[in-house]
Amino acid sequence: AHRGHLLRILAYRTAAVAGVGSVLGAATGFASVAVILGPSLLLEASPAKLLLSALVAVGSGILTTGLALYIPGHRALSGEVSGERREMAVERRPAWRRMRLDYGAVVLAAGAAVIALRAGVFDAPLGSVSTGQATSLASYLLLLPLTAWFAGTLLSVRAFEGVATRLPVTAPPRFGPTVRGILARSLSRRSRGLVTGIAGVGLVIAFGMGLQVFGGTYDAAKAADSKFTVGSNLRVTPSPLSRRSHPAGYAAALTVPGVSVATPVVATLENAFLRSKTNSDVKDLAAIEPASFSQTAALSDSFFAGSTAAEAMAALEADPNAILLDVGSADVLKLKPGDSAELLLGRGTKNQQLRNVTIAGLFERFPGFPEGLHIVANLGYYQAETGLNQADFFLARTTDQSNSGLGDAISAIRAGPGSGDKLSIDSTETTFNRDQSSLTALNIRGLVDLNSFYTLLISAAVIAIFVFGLMLQRRREYVTLRAQGMPSRNLQALVLGEAAFVGLSGLAAGVLVGLV
């Protein structure tokens, strides 16, 4: 057999292994997604798209696996003697270590992160499902986490390699315990293989950890989004068919067991008219009790411009004829805090009244009004001027904000004031914002679980490849030790010891880098 025969044999074997493995891999991926996400959800995709995904997966697998098998085999055929020379050659440090590229990349990633966060490039613009306005960021921003991912892993590898090279060994002429002595010297003197294994495991674990953190922050944002939409934990709205009166004092009847505080809110569409010296416009007004609203609603300082939530509520309570105005309306009407304006209260009713009001503060968004609100007024002042004393809905805060606590509070309201009244009750568990954000419309827990499963499998595969490579690289060494009388269990302990060091170091590096 000449060189051409051997290369063709290698090519046939590579094609067979890569083809069978890629087909099995695509089938396994299809089956695992069907098990975790459900076959019905998977089959919602068209057959053409599923076939295209399968072809891409199989083609990519054949290409990458084929290259991974063929290139090393071709090199081995070109010169096996190079492997014999490497047995005694002094290891040369990788170029990235000699040039300290890991340090430079970490500094670059940290500096870019500081600049990006201060510039607000990761602040996504608000989207709208109803108008088809998507929320997205530029793809090039992925370069920052990618740089931090690689740089952090390389820096961690350098640290763990430093630990390995400083492992204590018994001073000559003594050797110490056989297995521990050989393992310590092997780890400290031949660290290049360790670096590769730690880097592989670290990159995989860091990626999985990063997605786990993303899943956690996604769930927190989803909960905050739901609470902003409802306004608090519960939103109680009297039915238009109800024959009972619902004044502001009805909030006291809603403080049933499980509800700590409730507050009334008056809010209807285009129920006010605001006029400044330069412009005028019809507005949506909400009247609230500042004291009880502060204790009940999901207020945040980020909702207000130029003041905190507590300061805005305090200003509204201190001056009854003061109002809070949204930033957009203030810009159109050329109003700022401290200015005066004319406000028509109760627009469209027989009790409408024109009054002079003072702008006490500005807000960008307000809890309980996901589609936007223009004016927030003092409920006591609104009722005194218009004589309208009926509330449109009530917000309630539960003592226990878990799903079970919400369920108990809803049951208590239905059994109490709701037993003889028609009330609609929304909670943060069942309500999500359908307009301003599609954040809560997707449950990614299944995708995160799928990612965790494959992170475990790929990490195990990386360690297995490291072990097999270790055994192949040092087969002559192991045969020599076995010929000198070392038991097989001691040889296994040496292999497992190095594999354990790689696995634990990669796990620690991956968790740290993923969290960062």
Side-chain angles (χ1 to χ4, degrees):
H2 56 71
R3 177 185 177 87
H5 293 151
L6 297 177
L7 290 177
R8 282 198 294 273
I9 292 174
L10 176 63
Y12 296 153
R13 182 181 61 187
T14 300
V17 172
V20 173
S22 299
V23 171
L24 291 178
T28 303
F30 185 90
S32 63
V33 171
V35 169
I36 294 179
L37 299 182
S40 59
L41 182 62
L42 181 64
L43 295 179
E44 289 180 2
S46 64
K49 289 185 176 180
L50 289 175
L51 179 60
L52 177 62
S53 298
L55 292 176
V56 171
V58 172
S60 302
I62 292 176
L63 179 62
T64 55
T65 309
L67 291 176
L69 292 176
Y70 185 82
I71 293 176
H74 186 276
R75 289 179 177 176
L77 288 175
S78 300
E80 187 178 353
V81 69
S82 58
E84 304 292 339
R85 293 175 177 172
R86 282 196 298 269
E87 293 287 344
M88 299 302 296
V90 177
E91 290 187 348
R92 180 182 175 89
R93 287 187 174 185
W96 64 268
R97 282 211 56 185
R98 298 195 308 271
M99 301 174 65
R100 301 176 185 247
L101 294 180
D102 49 341
Y103 290 131
V106 167
V107 173
L108 175 64
V114 172
I115 295 174
L117 292 176
R118 288 186 175 180
V121 298
F122 285 105
D123 297 336
L126 291 178
S128 176
V129 177
S130 60
T131 60
Q133 182 180 356
T135 298
S136 62
L137 292 173
S139 300
Y140 67 83
L141 294 177
L142 284 174
L143 292 175
L144 181 54
L146 281 174
T147 302
W149 182 40
F150 284 107
T153 301
L154 293 179
L155 187 62
S156 302
V157 165
R158 178 188 289 271
F160 284 109
E161 185 182 10
V163 172
T165 57
R166 289 170 175 80
L167 290 175
V169 295
T170 305
R174 301 184 61 85
F175 189 80
T178 305
V179 175
R180 191 175 68 186
I182 294 177
L183 181 59
R185 288 167 174 81
S186 178
L187 292 174
S188 61
R189 297 176 182 175
R190 295 184 294 196
S191 58
R192 186 167 186 177
L194 300 178
V195 167
T196 305
I198 295 173
V201 176
L203 287 172
V204 175
I205 297 295
F207 181 78
M209 179 60 63
L211 287 185
Q212 284 290 342
V213 172
F214 165 75
T217 56
Y218 183 95
D219 291 339
K222 182 168 63 174
D225 193 46
S226 298
K227 195 169 183 179
F228 173 80
T229 301
V230 177
S232 185
N233 302 122
L234 298 178
R235 183 187 186 113
V236 181
T237 305
S239 171
L241 302 179
S242 176
R243 298 181 179 180
R244 294 191 56 179
S245 176
H246 300 90
Y250 186 77
L254 297 177
T255 55
V256 297
V259 176
S260 59
V261 62
T263 184
V265 179
V266 172
T268 54
L269 294 176
E270 299 184 349
N271 60 347
F273 185 86
L274 187 64
R275 175 184 298 148
S276 67
K277 294 180 179 180
T278 59
N279 206 343
S280 61
D281 198 3
V282 176
K283 299 297 180 183
D284 299 337
L285 178 145
I288 63 172
E289 290 182 350
S292 60
F293 193 88
S294 300
Q295 302 174 8
T296 308
L299 289 172
S300 173
D301 292 342
S302 63
F303 297 167
F304 298 88
S307 66
T308 64
E311 292 172 347
M313 293 295 104
L316 195 64
E317 185 176 11
D319 187 2
N321 71 335
I323 64 170
L324 303 178
L325 188 63
D326 76 299
V327 174
S329 297
D331 184 58
V332 172
L333 299 175
K334 300 295 188 292
L335 293 173
K336 62 182 183 298
D339 290 347
S340 298
E342 291 184 344
L343 176 63
L344 182 66
L345 300 171
R347 177 182 179 271
T349 68
K350 297 179 180 180
N351 301 50
Q352 64 182 16
Q353 300 291 333
L354 184 64
R355 294 290 183 268
N356 290 322
V357 295
T358 303
I359 312 301
L362 304 178
F363 64 90
E364 296 181 357
R365 49 192 181 274
F366 209 75
F369 300 90
E371 296 182 358
L373 181 68
H374 303 129
I375 302 172
V376 178
N378 188 301
L379 180 59
Y381 176 77
Y382 177 87
Q383 291 178 335
E385 298 299 324
T386 63
L388 302 174
N389 62 350
Q390 296 297 306
D392 293 299
F393 62 87
F394 300 85
L395 299 181
R397 182 181 180 88
T398 59
T399 53
D400 182 4
Q401 300 186 20
S402 64
N403 291 340
S404 60
L406 292 176
D408 294 340
I410 293 174
S411 300
I413 292 176
R414 295 194 184 282
S419 60
D421 197 2
K422 295 182 179 181
L423 301 175
S424 174
I425 305 176
D426 296 323
S427 71
T428 54
E429 181 185 4
T430 58
T431 302
F432 60 86
N433 186 354
R434 292 181 176 86
D435 182 70
Q436 284 298 99
S437 170
S438 61
L439 184 64
T440 56
L442 173 66
N443 184 356
I444 64 167
R445 182 52 51 191
L447 298 176
V448 174
D449 292 341
L450 183 66
N451 162 76
S452 301
F453 174 68
Y454 278 110
T455 298
L456 177 64
L457 289 184
I458 297 174
S459 299
V462 171
I463 295 176
I465 292 172
F466 169 78
V467 171
F468 290 141
L470 188 70
M471 297 177 67
L472 289 175
Q473 182 183 11
R474 303 181 185 176
R475 60 189 181 277
R476 181 172 287 108
E477 175 184 330
Y478 294 150
V479 170
T480 303
L481 292 173
R482 189 75 177 91
Q484 293 292 334
M486 176 176 284
S488 298
R489 63 178 182 274
N490 289 357
L491 285 176
Q492 295 172 1
L494 290 175
V495 176
L496 293 178
E498 295 202 30
F501 183 85
V502 168
L504 294 176
S505 300
L507 176 63
V511 170
L512 178 62
V513 174
L515 289 176
V516 171

